[in-house]
Amino acid sequence: MEKSKANINYDDVVIHVDKVSKSFGDLHVLRDVDLKLYNRENLVVLGRSGTGKSVLIKLISGLLNPDRGDITVLGEVVNRLTDKELRALRQRIGFSFQNSALYDSMTVRENLEFPLVRNKRNLSRAEIDREVEEVLEGVGLSRAINQMPSELSGGQRKRIGIARTLILRPDIMLYDEPTAGLDPITCLDINSLINEVQERYNTSSIIITHDLACAKMIGDRMVMLLDGKFERQGSFAEIFDTDDERVRPFYDYNFIV
Amino acid sequence: MKRKIENLLLEFARIHRFMMRFLREVVSPPYEFKEIIRQCYEIGWKSFPLISLTGFIVGFVFTKQSRPSLEEFGATSWLPKLISIAIVRALAPLVTALIGSGKVGSQIGAELSSMNVTEQIDAMEVSGTNPTKFLVSTRILATTTMIPVLCFYVAGIGLLGGYLSIAGKDDLSFLAFFTQVFEAIAAKDIFAMVLRAVVFGFTIGFTSSYIGYYSSKGTEGVGKAANAAVVASMFLVFIEELLIVQILSLVG
């Protein structure tokens, strides 16, 4: 079942990728790509492995710089900001990494406290504890608070990774392969969590995936990255209503094979 | 060939940028006192058992090996002076730096490299934390302060080893030994020791942080970074030792 798009504000563009190109040596990953993300929209970016999907969100979060073009996030051109301005903007962007990227020398509590303590230095101990407990409860893992990341399962690590980004109450969430390497039931849990996050925290999100079940469940709109360009855009049905042999195998593998 | 020269120049440019970032972050607030203290504990305190054993053995063995040469001239009474000058001027900073390169350098190289591979450094960056300030500056400051502290300790424990080696053969009191030691050491020897230790400490911290921070991806990258951190730190320590000896002998 596809999602309702009732809450999306199409007058408010929160991310605008404007004619952006990115190469690594002779490898042209993105070629003059254009993309808009609207307020409270979940946008799914589909594409084969190694086609530059993760590069796109690393460009949006300022981890990489584009060779050409501009990326505007919440009204600020990311590739023209100073380090200090970029750090301030990043507090409004949550980034959930493919492998969760939890700090493995810290407990779950310390992982969650880390961004909070470092960005909001005037918070009291009680306020920090309350925030940590609230986001942990939000992802359904209150009992894991004193565990080390190595003691958690893949799905739990994903949840903690998402909780760590939520603790700063971001306006935008960037998910890199949120269901990669997880069993189908845990995938469904993570997909539900992504939808819950959108509703509860009013976030706009870009979700990088090649899991079509995930895409169908959480995406308001989809784009497919083919040969460095977004050649197909639209709803799930619109994307796959084609005989393009670069696109059909995605659908066939996920729903027929 | 042209590509190799280009890569070398790019590497130098990256080292220069890394150094500038470190210098900028280390002086600008907010200061990471808590993390610096944690790193001092990790780097300094946890090295004490290894450094104690090594320092003691170096002092003991050096004294034992020096005895026959002095015996030939009937000058074994000069042993305390000889070993104190050798330990304070050369052995203590060098031994501390080499043990530090092996233990601390590999630890920093592997730790930062592993964080890089598992995207923990990127995670820090996107959560609004400056990883150069939090991860790199703190480690470099910790090695720069803790290697001199460990160096003083190695000098002390090395001299103790030397005393025990002498006391095994000669009738020399502890007090008499250390009186001779302090008579032999001048202020400039202490200064030279501290200078060496500070330079070596900075080199170990900077080199291993740089290598770990920019390691290649994959688990192989972690092993390579740990190895490269030790090799590069030791190599640079020896080069610096050579330069410092030349400069100090010119200064007098």
Side-chain angles (χ1 to χ4, degrees), chain A residues 58 61 63 83 87 90-91 93 95 97-106 114-115 118-119 121 164 168 176, chain B residues 24-25 30-32 38 111 114-115 117-131 133-134 217:
Chain A
K58 284 187 176 174
S61 59
L63 284 174
D83 285 354
R87 227 164 276 138
R90 279 171 173 160
Q91 290 179 39
I93 307 173
F95 196 126
F97 287 83
Q98 183 171 352
N99 296 312
S100 308
L102 299 180
Y103 308 128
D104 47 21
S105 59
M106 301 181 192
F114 189 82
R118 308 197 60 74
N119 290 299
R121 290 182 184 255
R164 189 178 61 186
L168 289 176
D176 191 3
Chain B
R24 199 173 56 233
E25 298 305 341
Y31 303 108
E32 303 285 351
R38 198 180 77 82
E111 197 177 7
S114 159
M115 290 187 79
V117 168
T118 54
E119 295 181 305
Q120 290 176 52
I121 293 179
D122 282 348
M124 216 168 258
E125 185 115 44
V126 294
S127 69
T129 300
N130 182 344
K133 183 181 269 295
F134 186 76
K217 297 282 180 186

Side-chain angles (χ1 to χ4, degrees), chain B residues 47-124:
Chain B
S47 299
F48 265 100
L50 181 65
I51 218 100
S52 301
L53 186 69
T54 321
F56 181 82
I57 290 172
V58 165
F60 189 88
V61 171
F62 178 75
T63 310
K64 209 164 184 60
Q65 299 287 3
S66 304
R67 174 180 281 278
S69 304
L70 291 181
E71 257 174 0
E72 277 185 39
F73 303 102
T76 49
S77 60
W78 283 17
L79 262 174
K81 287 184 178 176
L82 172 76
I83 60 165
S84 58
I85 289 170
I87 286 177
V88 171
R89 281 193 193 165
L91 288 175
L94 209 53
V95 166
T96 313
L98 294 181
I99 297 294
S101 300
K103 189 181 180 300
V104 178
S106 61
Q107 182 185 326
I108 293 175
E111 197 177 7
L112 293 188
S113 170
S114 159
M115 290 187 79
N116 186 19
V117 168
T118 54
E119 295 181 305
Q120 290 176 52
I121 293 179
D122 282 348
M124 216 168 258

Side-chain angles (χ1 to χ4, degrees), chain A residues 15 57 60-61 93-97 172-176 205-206:
Chain A
I15 295 178
I57 54 172
I60 290 169
S61 59
I93 307 173
F95 196 126
S96 167
F97 287 83
I172 292 172
M173 284 293 291
L174 305 172
Y175 297 93
D176 191 3
S205 315
I206 293 182

